[in-house]
Amino acid sequence: MASTQTRRHARLLTPAEVPEAAKMLRDGALVAFPTETVYGLGADATDGRAVARVFAAKGRPAFNPLIVHVAGADQVAALAVMDATARDLAARFWPGPLTLVLPLREGHGLSPLVTAGLDTVAIRVPAASLARDLLQRVGRPVAAPSANPSGRVSATRAAHVMDGLGDRVDAVLDGGPCGVGLESTILRTAPLALLRAGGLAVEEIEAALGRSLPRDITPGKVQAPGQLSSHYAPARPLRMGVRSRDRQAVLIGFGPVSGDLSLSESGDVIEAAARLFDLLHLADSLAAEKGADRIDVAPVPETGLGRAINDRLRRAAAPRDMPQP
Ligand code: TXA
Ligand code: MG
């Protein structure tokens, strides 16, 4: 019923059209594609604007970090640091339904929105041949959350993606139903912990490691968007909703409020999301240069991605000696 009312803009691509899907991703489009676990909503992970559109399409109320997909384990070295345990797990289970959360490597080139400002990145090498072919052709890391609107169940068929997101993505690559049908198992390796149970059985991982896996699946703890790395949490106090300049502060503008820097001069929340983490970082260095002791941010509307932006800003503005939610 709902599906017949959905406006459909997305192109449905056949497996023979993988080269077109890859080209679209390289050009900054949103392309949903099948992995063996569930369909992912893909975007070039190095393109901040494309990544921002992923959050807008899903309607996520906050910037949760996304999983980065690569064609092979050899492509991980440029993005993240793998210790011996990570290398063992990768050798044993990649390609497959396992995601590893690893420390980011300097010069990784990913949009900071992908990791939501954390200093770790979640990476997986999917096994589905269509996904591997696609990733190989894109030649860049592809960020992809499950291809469902926020709060709805994951999509395991192209038709599910069309129903849920058909009017918000550019294309859906149809590879038939997903074999596993359950999201990947997520592991952090340093320190070792299970973050999400999923398509790879915990018993299999424990058998491979020869020891039991500590669980760290307290929901608020893993996904808390308050876990900004110090790199992206401004060192100075932050004030929101500021419309005019003050010599004691660096002003981050938006739309009509022009500051020392601007999230988006045209008042585009997608552009603002793509620039947010970079600008918070930049504002700190600028404040150090100017001798300013505060960062002010212009009002950002509470619509679309503006909600997630404000969520982040509120956390950054919270007093430092209080525990972050
Ligand atoms: O099977 C899957 O994993 C699918 C396919 C498309 O790959 N993807 C998927 O993505 O389920 P998503 O966005 O629905 O779930 C990703 C999870 C989130 O719960 C997020 O918090 C966690 O991964 N995550 C991502 N980066 C993280 C990080 N650096 N630290 C901890 N958790 C992270
Ligand atoms: Mg999901």
Side-chain angles (χ1 to χ4, degrees), residues 27-95:
D27 290 344
L30 298 192
V31 179
F33 64 98
T35 77
E36 72 278 21
T37 57
V38 297
Y39 273 74
L41 171 51
D44 176 351
T46 65
D47 179 342
R49 208 185 152 80
V51 177
R53 285 187 61 215
V54 168
F55 287 98
K58 283 197 60 114
R60 276 194 174 172
F63 297 126
N64 293 332
L66 306 178
I67 295 176
V68 169
H69 299 67
V70 295
D74 53 323
Q75 292 179 25
V76 176
L79 307 173
V81 182
M82 293 180 87
D83 62 10
T85 309
R87 282 196 300 272
D88 279 358
L89 290 166
R92 176 76 177 72
F93 296 112
W94 278 351

Side-chain angles (χ1 to χ4, degrees), residues 38-39 58 60 67 144-155 183 196 223:
V38 297
Y39 273 74
K58 283 197 60 114
R60 276 194 174 172
I67 295 176
S146 51
N148 51 279
S150 187
R152 302 253 303 269
V153 293
S154 295
E183 297 89 343
R196 179 176 76 184
Q223 302 192 0

